Amino acid sequence: MDNLDSKSGLATHTLSMWQALAQGLGTNGPAAVTALFFVGIAGAVGSSMTLVIVLAFIIYCGMTLVTYEWSKEVASAYSWAAFHRKAFGDRGKFLSFYGGISYYYYYLLGYTGFAMLGLTAFLYALDPSLAAAYPWIWIPLTIIIIGETTVLNFFGVKLSLKYVLYTGLAEFIFLIGTSIALIVIAGPHNSYVPFTAAAVHFNYTDIAIEMILGIATFGGLNSVVPVAEETKNPKKNIPLALGILAGLIGAVIIISSYAQSVVYGVTNMFQYANLSDPGIYVYTKYLGLAVAAVFVLFIINSFNSSGVAFETSTVRTSYAYARDKILFPKVFTSINKHKVPGNLVIFTGLLSITIAIVSGLILGPLTASLFLIISNSIFSFSNHAIAGIGLGVCHRRKGTLRIIQHLIIPWAVAIALVVAIVYVVYPAPAPPLNYASYISGIYFVFIIVLYFYYRAKKPDMLEEVGKFTL
């Protein structure tokens, strides 16, 4: 184990189960999700938003089961690359290479799209007069916030995740408490309708199209995995963290979506999406200005915590490749006194600033945020599908196959995710969001070209892809 710890280079055996859980809680950012995703989903399907979120949660539970099972086998910053390699062995070199490089894209765009641009878009909606008077103000805001989250990452994973844990649990308690209050206030307006497709006249194609955003509302939950090398007893604590986290996030997002629907009015939810900040409006009208102000602070902190956690995952995934001399230069393997790859943290911050500003200038902060989220979701879905199929392959080879948890559920999830990917492409969202899948396609081609470059020029490096695990 000492040799493995030395090769890891990270602060192994540092994080408790709760601190590892904080990585997923922070990445998901429940309060931020209610501010950003509820608007998009309600705008398309009205009060059936709750149905979309419930169905998405069922799928995400299946995705988490796959991650849960793999986390009992593998503890590696390589994350999905390590899952694919253990499942398919040498025949899975490309899948392993694809898993890591595509998940790097997922985490990087999640950081810039959801956490950073999502926050600036929220602040713009909070005060439209600010956006009108200073249309450029989001640029320095983005730079400042990326700088702050990068500093937190630079000074060590334990410090950053303590902050995420304490604020994240306070956020969870606040959202549950206020949602129950809204449901009580709704009184006789409580209804089973939000759990049906009545708002879209039972057109399940509309429901299916919105599943891309529905599943994304739970995105980040499985990002506990990249900090496995830094977690105490990871093959026990990472699966435990995933199980607890799924329950927490599922409860808070579902109850929040239902509460806002019934208190605002199930027949009014299409109009809800036209409000500049509908969640803040609902809290102000029904719970008072003071509670709404606290909600605003939690939303801002939620985006910020998500940024810290997303950047942590981005750095860990890219570090695993740099450690094996793939894609990233050797200088990125240098570990600072806080036991993190400091040079890589700084590079990630600078690259994220570039992506955020360029995409924001082209599309505007809100559209750019949704664009990047849709683009990166394809890679999350595809990797979970591959990992689910690989789970059965691995356990069949080991003689430990269990039909339901290693075959039936993972294959059902894989099929559902393939359908979700299809709906990203056709019928695609309205322009310019439809171009998000084209950008994903270009990145996929880049991965293929890069793989064959290494296969032709540096085949020995591919031997190590995804192999390392504690």
Side-chain angles (χ1 to χ4, degrees), residues 18-66:
W18 285 102
Q19 288 167 333
L21 178 148
Q23 170 67 10
L25 180 60
T27 307
N28 179 263
V33 160
T34 67
L36 187 63
F37 286 95
F38 284 8
V39 180
I41 298 173
V45 297
S47 64
S48 294
M49 168 176 71
T50 304
L51 172 64
V52 168
I53 289 172
V54 169
L55 293 175
F57 180 63
I58 292 170
I59 294 173
Y60 218 97
C61 281
M63 294 166 66
T64 302
L65 173 65
V66 170

CSV table of all heavy atoms in Angstrom, one decimal, residues 18-66:
chain,number,residue,atom,x,y,z
A,18,TRP,N,-17.7,11.6,5.0
A,18,TRP,CA,-18.5,12.8,4.9
A,18,TRP,C,-17.9,13.9,4.0
A,18,TRP,O,-18.5,14.6,3.3
A,18,TRP,CB,-18.9,13.4,6.2
A,18,TRP,CG,-19.9,12.6,6.9
A,18,TRP,CD1,-19.8,11.7,7.9
A,18,TRP,CD2,-21.4,12.6,6.6
A,18,TRP,NE1,-21.0,11.1,8.2
A,18,TRP,CE2,-22.0,11.7,7.5
A,18,TRP,CE3,-22.1,13.3,5.7
A,18,TRP,CZ2,-23.3,11.4,7.4
A,18,TRP,CZ3,-23.5,13.1,5.7
A,18,TRP,CH2,-24.1,12.1,6.5
A,19,GLN,N,-16.6,14.0,4.1
A,19,GLN,CA,-15.8,14.9,3.2
A,19,GLN,C,-15.9,14.5,1.8
A,19,GLN,O,-16.0,15.3,0.9
A,19,GLN,CB,-14.4,15.1,3.7
A,19,GLN,CG,-14.3,15.9,5.0
A,19,GLN,CD,-13.0,15.8,5.7
A,19,GLN,OE1,-12.3,14.8,5.6
A,19,GLN,NE2,-12.6,16.8,6.5
A,20,ALA,N,-15.8,13.2,1.6
A,20,ALA,CA,-15.9,12.6,0.2
A,20,ALA,C,-17.3,12.9,-0.3
A,20,ALA,O,-17.5,13.3,-1.5
A,20,ALA,CB,-15.6,11.2,0.2
A,21,LEU,N,-18.3,12.7,0.5
A,21,LEU,CA,-19.7,13.0,0.2
A,21,LEU,C,-19.9,14.4,-0.2
A,21,LEU,O,-20.6,14.8,-1.2
A,21,LEU,CB,-20.6,12.6,1.3
A,21,LEU,CG,-22.1,12.9,1.2
A,21,LEU,CD1,-22.9,11.8,2.0
A,21,LEU,CD2,-22.5,14.3,1.7
A,22,ALA,N,-19.2,15.3,0.5
A,22,ALA,CA,-19.3,16.8,0.2
A,22,ALA,C,-18.8,17.1,-1.3
A,22,ALA,O,-19.3,18.0,-1.9
A,22,ALA,CB,-18.4,17.5,1.1
A,23,GLN,N,-17.9,16.3,-1.8
A,23,GLN,CA,-17.5,16.5,-3.2
A,23,GLN,C,-18.7,16.3,-4.2
A,23,GLN,O,-18.8,17.1,-5.1
A,23,GLN,CB,-16.4,15.4,-3.6
A,23,GLN,CG,-16.0,15.4,-5.0
A,23,GLN,CD,-15.3,16.6,-5.5
A,23,GLN,OE1,-15.0,17.5,-4.8
A,23,GLN,NE2,-15.2,16.7,-6.8
A,24,GLY,N,-19.5,15.3,-4.0
A,24,GLY,CA,-20.7,15.1,-4.8
A,24,GLY,C,-21.8,16.1,-4.5
A,24,GLY,O,-22.4,16.7,-5.4
A,25,LEU,N,-22.0,16.5,-3.2
A,25,LEU,CA,-23.0,17.4,-2.8
A,25,LEU,C,-22.7,18.8,-3.4
A,25,LEU,O,-23.5,19.5,-3.9
A,25,LEU,CB,-23.1,17.5,-1.3
A,25,LEU,CG,-24.1,18.4,-0.7
A,25,LEU,CD1,-25.5,18.1,-1.1
A,25,LEU,CD2,-24.0,18.4,0.9
A,26,GLY,N,-21.4,19.2,-3.3
A,26,GLY,CA,-21.0,20.5,-3.8
A,26,GLY,C,-21.1,20.5,-5.3
A,26,GLY,O,-21.6,21.5,-5.9
A,27,THR,N,-20.7,19.5,-6.0
A,27,THR,CA,-20.7,19.5,-7.5
A,27,THR,C,-22.2,19.6,-7.9
A,27,THR,O,-22.5,20.4,-8.9
A,27,THR,CB,-20.1,18.2,-8.0
A,27,THR,OG1,-18.8,18.0,-7.5
A,27,THR,CG2,-20.1,18.3,-9.6
A,28,ASN,N,-23.1,18.9,-7.3
A,28,ASN,CA,-24.5,19.0,-7.7
A,28,ASN,C,-25.1,20.4,-7.4
A,28,ASN,O,-25.8,21.0,-8.3
A,28,ASN,CB,-25.3,18.0,-7.0
A,28,ASN,CG,-26.8,18.0,-7.3
A,28,ASN,OD1,-27.6,18.6,-6.6
A,28,ASN,ND2,-27.1,17.4,-8.5
A,29,GLY,N,-24.8,21.0,-6.3
A,29,GLY,CA,-25.3,22.3,-5.9
A,29,GLY,C,-26.8,22.4,-6.0
A,29,GLY,O,-27.4,23.1,-6.9
A,30,PRO,N,-27.5,21.8,-5.1
A,30,PRO,CA,-29.0,21.7,-5.1
A,30,PRO,C,-29.7,23.1,-5.3
A,30,PRO,O,-30.6,23.2,-6.1
A,30,PRO,CB,-29.4,21.0,-3.8
A,30,PRO,CG,-28.2,20.2,-3.4
A,30,PRO,CD,-27.0,21.0,-3.9
A,31,ALA,N,-29.3,24.0,-4.5
A,31,ALA,CA,-29.9,25.4,-4.6
A,31,ALA,C,-29.7,26.0,-5.9
A,31,ALA,O,-30.5,26.6,-6.5
A,31,ALA,CB,-29.4,26.3,-3.5
A,32,ALA,N,-28.4,25.8,-6.5
A,32,ALA,CA,-28.1,26.3,-7.8
A,32,ALA,C,-29.0,25.6,-8.9
A,32,ALA,O,-29.4,26.2,-9.8
A,32,ALA,CB,-26.6,26.1,-8.1
A,33,VAL,N,-29.2,24.3,-8.7
A,33,VAL,CA,-30.0,23.6,-9.6
A,33,VAL,C,-31.4,24.1,-9.7
A,33,VAL,O,-32.0,24.3,-10.8
A,33,VAL,CB,-30.1,22.1,-9.2
A,33,VAL,CG1,-31.2,21.3,-9.8
A,33,VAL,CG2,-28.8,21.4,-9.6
A,34,THR,N,-32.0,24.5,-8.5
A,34,THR,CA,-33.4,25.0,-8.5
A,34,THR,C,-33.4,26.3,-9.2
A,34,THR,O,-34.5,26.7,-9.8
A,34,THR,CB,-33.9,25.2,-7.0
A,34,THR,OG1,-33.1,26.2,-6.4
A,34,THR,CG2,-33.8,23.9,-6.3
A,35,ALA,N,-32.3,27.1,-9.2
A,35,ALA,CA,-32.3,28.4,-9.8
A,35,ALA,C,-32.1,28.3,-11.3
A,35,ALA,O,-32.7,29.1,-12.0
A,35,ALA,CB,-31.2,29.3,-9.2
A,36,LEU,N,-31.3,27.4,-11.8
A,36,LEU,CA,-31.0,27.3,-13.2
A,36,LEU,C,-31.8,26.3,-14.0
A,36,LEU,O,-32.4,26.7,-15.0
A,36,LEU,CB,-29.5,26.9,-13.3
A,36,LEU,CG,-28.9,27.0,-14.7
A,36,LEU,CD1,-29.0,28.4,-15.3
A,36,LEU,CD2,-27.5,26.5,-14.8
A,37,PHE,N,-32.0,25.1,-13.5
A,37,PHE,CA,-32.6,24.0,-14.3
A,37,PHE,C,-34.1,24.1,-14.2
A,37,PHE,O,-34.8,23.8,-15.2
A,37,PHE,CB,-32.2,22.7,-13.8
A,37,PHE,CG,-30.8,22.3,-14.2
A,37,PHE,CD1,-29.7,22.6,-13.4
A,37,PHE,CD2,-30.5,21.8,-15.5
A,37,PHE,CE1,-28.4,22.3,-13.8
A,37,PHE,CE2,-29.2,21.5,-15.9
A,37,PHE,CZ,-28.2,21.7,-15.0
A,38,PHE,N,-34.7,24.5,-13.1
A,38,PHE,CA,-36.2,24.6,-13.0
A,38,PHE,C,-36.8,25.5,-14.1
A,38,PHE,O,-37.8,25.2,-14.6
A,38,PHE,CB,-36.6,25.0,-11.6
A,38,PHE,CG,-36.5,24.0,-10.5
A,38,PHE,CD1,-35.9,22.8,-10.8
A,38,PHE,CD2,-37.0,24.2,-9.3
A,38,PHE,CE1,-35.8,21.8,-9.8
A,38,PHE,CE2,-36.9,23.3,-8.3
A,38,PHE,CZ,-36.3,22.1,-8.5
A,39,VAL,N,-36.1,26.6,-14.3
A,39,VAL,CA,-36.6,27.5,-15.3
A,39,VAL,C,-36.7,26.9,-16.7
A,39,VAL,O,-37.7,27.0,-17.4
A,39,VAL,CB,-35.7,28.8,-15.4
A,39,VAL,CG1,-36.2,29.8,-16.5
A,39,VAL,CG2,-35.5,29.5,-14.1
A,40,GLY,N,-35.6,26.2,-17.1
A,40,GLY,CA,-35.6,25.6,-18.4
A,40,GLY,C,-36.6,24.5,-18.6
A,40,GLY,O,-37.3,24.3,-19.6
A,41,ILE,N,-36.7,23.6,-17.5
A,41,ILE,CA,-37.7,22.5,-17.6
A,41,ILE,C,-39.1,23.0,-17.6
A,41,ILE,O,-39.9,22.5,-18.4
A,41,ILE,CB,-37.4,21.5,-16.5
A,41,ILE,CG1,-36.0,20.9,-16.6
A,41,ILE,CG2,-38.4,20.3,-16.5
A,41,ILE,CD1,-35.5,20.0,-15.4
A,42,ALA,N,-39.4,23.9,-16.6
A,42,ALA,CA,-40.8,24.4,-16.5
A,42,ALA,C,-41.2,25.1,-17.8
A,42,ALA,O,-42.4,25.1,-18.2
A,42,ALA,CB,-40.9,25.3,-15.3
A,43,GLY,N,-40.3,25.8,-18.4
A,43,GLY,CA,-40.6,26.5,-19.7
A,43,GLY,C,-41.0,25.6,-20.8
A,43,GLY,O,-41.8,26.0,-21.7
A,44,ALA,N,-40.6,24.3,-20.7
A,44,ALA,CA,-40.9,23.4,-21.8
A,44,ALA,C,-42.1,22.5,-21.5
A,44,ALA,O,-42.9,22.2,-22.3
A,44,ALA,CB,-39.7,22.5,-22.1
A,45,VAL,N,-42.2,22.1,-20.2
A,45,VAL,CA,-43.3,21.1,-19.8
A,45,VAL,C,-44.2,21.6,-18.7
A,45,VAL,O,-45.0,20.9,-18.2
A,45,VAL,CB,-42.6,19.8,-19.4
A,45,VAL,CG1,-41.9,19.2,-20.6
A,45,VAL,CG2,-41.7,19.9,-18.2
A,46,GLY,N,-44.0,22.9,-18.2
A,46,GLY,CA,-44.9,23.4,-17.2
A,46,GLY,C,-44.8,22.6,-15.9
A,46,GLY,O,-43.7,22.3,-15.4
A,47,SER,N,-46.0,22.3,-15.3
A,47,SER,CA,-46.0,21.7,-14.0
A,47,SER,C,-45.5,20.2,-14.1
A,47,SER,O,-45.2,19.6,-13.1
A,47,SER,CB,-47.4,21.7,-13.4
A,47,SER,OG,-48.3,21.0,-14.2
A,48,SER,N,-45.4,19.7,-15.3
A,48,SER,CA,-44.8,18.3,-15.5
A,48,SER,C,-43.3,18.3,-15.2
A,48,SER,O,-42.7,17.2,-15.3
A,48,SER,CB,-45.1,17.8,-16.9
A,48,SER,OG,-46.5,17.6,-17.1
A,49,MET,N,-42.8,19.4,-14.8
A,49,MET,CA,-41.4,19.5,-14.4
A,49,MET,C,-41.1,18.4,-13.3
A,49,MET,O,-40.1,17.8,-13.3
A,49,MET,CB,-41.1,20.9,-13.8
A,49,MET,CG,-39.8,21.0,-13.1
A,49,MET,SD,-39.4,22.7,-12.6
A,49,MET,CE,-40.6,22.9,-11.2
A,50,THR,N,-42.0,18.3,-12.4
A,50,THR,CA,-41.8,17.3,-11.3
A,50,THR,C,-41.7,15.9,-11.8
A,50,THR,O,-40.9,15.1,-11.4
A,50,THR,CB,-42.9,17.4,-10.2
A,50,THR,OG1,-42.9,18.8,-9.7
A,50,THR,CG2,-42.6,16.5,-9.0
A,51,LEU,N,-42.6,15.6,-12.8
A,51,LEU,CA,-42.6,14.2,-13.4
A,51,LEU,C,-41.2,14.0,-14.1
A,51,LEU,O,-40.6,12.9,-13.9
A,51,LEU,CB,-43.7,14.1,-14.4
A,51,LEU,CG,-43.6,12.8,-15.3
A,51,LEU,CD1,-43.8,11.6,-14.4
A,51,LEU,CD2,-44.7,12.9,-16.4
A,52,VAL,N,-40.7,15.0,-14.8
A,52,VAL,CA,-39.4,14.9,-15.5
A,52,VAL,C,-38.3,14.6,-14.5
A,52,VAL,O,-37.5,13.7,-14.7
A,52,VAL,CB,-39.1,16.2,-16.3
A,52,VAL,CG1,-37.7,16.2,-16.8
A,52,VAL,CG2,-40.1,16.3,-17.5
A,53,ILE,N,-38.4,15.3,-13.4
A,53,ILE,CA,-37.3,15.2,-12.4
A,53,ILE,C,-37.4,13.8,-11.7
A,53,ILE,O,-36.4,13.2,-11.4
A,53,ILE,CB,-37.4,16.4,-11.4
A,53,ILE,CG1,-37.0,17.6,-12.1
A,53,ILE,CG2,-36.6,16.1,-10.1
A,53,ILE,CD1,-37.2,18.9,-11.3
A,54,VAL,N,-38.6,13.4,-11.4
A,54,VAL,CA,-38.8,12.0,-10.8
A,54,VAL,C,-38.2,10.9,-11.7
A,54,VAL,O,-37.5,10.0,-11.3
A,54,VAL,CB,-40.2,11.8,-10.4
A,54,VAL,CG1,-40.4,10.3,-10.0
A,54,VAL,CG2,-40.7,12.7,-9.2
A,55,LEU,N,-38.6,11.0,-13.0
A,55,LEU,CA,-38.1,10.0,-13.9
A,55,LEU,C,-36.6,10.1,-14.1
A,55,LEU,O,-35.9,9.0,-14.1
A,55,LEU,CB,-38.8,10.2,-15.3
A,55,LEU,CG,-40.3,9.9,-15.4
A,55,LEU,CD1,-40.9,10.3,-16.7
A,55,LEU,CD2,-40.6,8.5,-15.0
A,56,ALA,N,-36.1,11.3,-14.1
A,56,ALA,CA,-34.7,11.5,-14.2
A,56,ALA,C,-34.0,10.9,-13.0
A,56,ALA,O,-32.9,10.3,-13.1
A,56,ALA,CB,-34.3,13.0,-14.4
A,57,PHE,N,-34.6,11.1,-11.8
A,57,PHE,CA,-33.9,10.6,-10.6
A,57,PHE,C,-33.9,9.0,-10.6
A,57,PHE,O,-32.9,8.4,-10.2
A,57,PHE,CB,-34.7,11.1,-9.4
A,57,PHE,CG,-34.1,10.6,-8.1
A,57,PHE,CD1,-32.8,10.9,-7.7
A,57,PHE,CD2,-34.9,9.7,-7.2
A,57,PHE,CE1,-32.3,10.4,-6.5
A,57,PHE,CE2,-34.3,9.3,-6.1
A,57,PHE,CZ,-33.0,9.6,-5.7
A,58,ILE,N,-34.9,8.4,-11.1
A,58,ILE,CA,-35.0,7.0,-11.2
A,58,ILE,C,-33.8,6.5,-12.1
A,58,ILE,O,-33.1,5.6,-11.8
A,58,ILE,CB,-36.3,6.5,-11.8
A,58,ILE,CG1,-37.4,6.7,-10.8
A,58,ILE,CG2,-36.2,5.0,-12.1
A,58,ILE,CD1,-38.8,6.5,-11.3
A,59,ILE,N,-33.6,7.2,-13.2
A,59,ILE,CA,-32.5,6.8,-14.1
A,59,ILE,C,-31.2,7.1,-13.4
A,59,ILE,O,-30.2,6.3,-13.5
A,59,ILE,CB,-32.6,7.6,-15.4
A,59,ILE,CG1,-33.8,7.2,-16.2
A,59,ILE,CG2,-31.3,7.5,-16.3
A,59,ILE,CD1,-34.1,8.1,-17.5
A,60,TYR,N,-31.1,8.2,-12.7
A,60,TYR,CA,-29.8,8.6,-12.0
A,60,TYR,C,-29.5,7.6,-10.9
A,60,TYR,O,-28.3,7.3,-10.6
A,60,TYR,CB,-29.8,10.0,-11.5
A,60,TYR,CG,-28.5,10.7,-11.7
A,60,TYR,CD1,-28.2,11.5,-12.8
A,60,TYR,CD2,-27.4,10.4,-10.8
A,60,TYR,CE1,-26.9,12.0,-13.0
A,60,TYR,CE2,-26.2,11.0,-11.0
A,60,TYR,CZ,-25.9,11.8,-12.1
A,60,TYR,OH,-24.7,12.3,-12.3
A,61,CYS,N,-30.5,7.1,-10.3
A,61,CYS,CA,-30.3,6.0,-9.2
A,61,CYS,C,-29.7,4.8,-9.9
A,61,CYS,O,-28.8,4.2,-9.3
A,61,CYS,CB,-31.6,5.7,-8.6
A,61,CYS,SG,-32.2,6.8,-7.3
A,62,GLY,N,-30.1,4.5,-11.1
A,62,GLY,CA,-29.5,3.4,-11.8
A,62,GLY,C,-28.0,3.7,-12.1
A,62,GLY,O,-27.2,2.8,-12.0
A,63,MET,N,-27.8,4.9,-12.6
A,63,MET,CA,-26.4,5.3,-12.9
A,63,MET,C,-25.6,5.3,-11.6
A,63,MET,O,-24.4,4.8,-11.7
A,63,MET,CB,-26.4,6.8,-13.4
A,63,MET,CG,-27.1,6.9,-14.8
A,63,MET,SD,-27.5,8.6,-15.2
A,63,MET,CE,-25.9,9.3,-15.4
A,64,THR,N,-26.1,5.7,-10.5
A,64,THR,CA,-25.4,5.7,-9.2
A,64,THR,C,-25.1,4.3,-8.8
A,64,THR,O,-24.1,4.0,-8.2
A,64,THR,CB,-26.1,6.5,-8.2
A,64,THR,OG1,-26.3,7.8,-8.7
A,64,THR,CG2,-25.4,6.5,-6.9
A,65,LEU,N,-26.1,3.3,-9.0
A,65,LEU,CA,-25.8,1.9,-8.7
A,65,LEU,C,-24.6,1.4,-9.4
A,65,LEU,O,-23.8,0.7,-8.8
A,65,LEU,CB,-27.1,1.1,-9.0
A,65,LEU,CG,-26.9,-0.4,-8.8
A,65,LEU,CD1,-26.6,-0.8,-7.3
A,65,LEU,CD2,-28.0,-1.2,-9.4
A,66,VAL,N,-24.5,1.7,-10.7
A,66,VAL,CA,-23.3,1.3,-11.5
A,66,VAL,C,-22.0,1.9,-10.8
A,66,VAL,O,-21.1,1.1,-10.6
A,66,VAL,CB,-23.4,1.8,-12.9
A,66,VAL,CG1,-22.1,1.6,-13.7
A,66,VAL,CG2,-24.6,1.1,-13.6
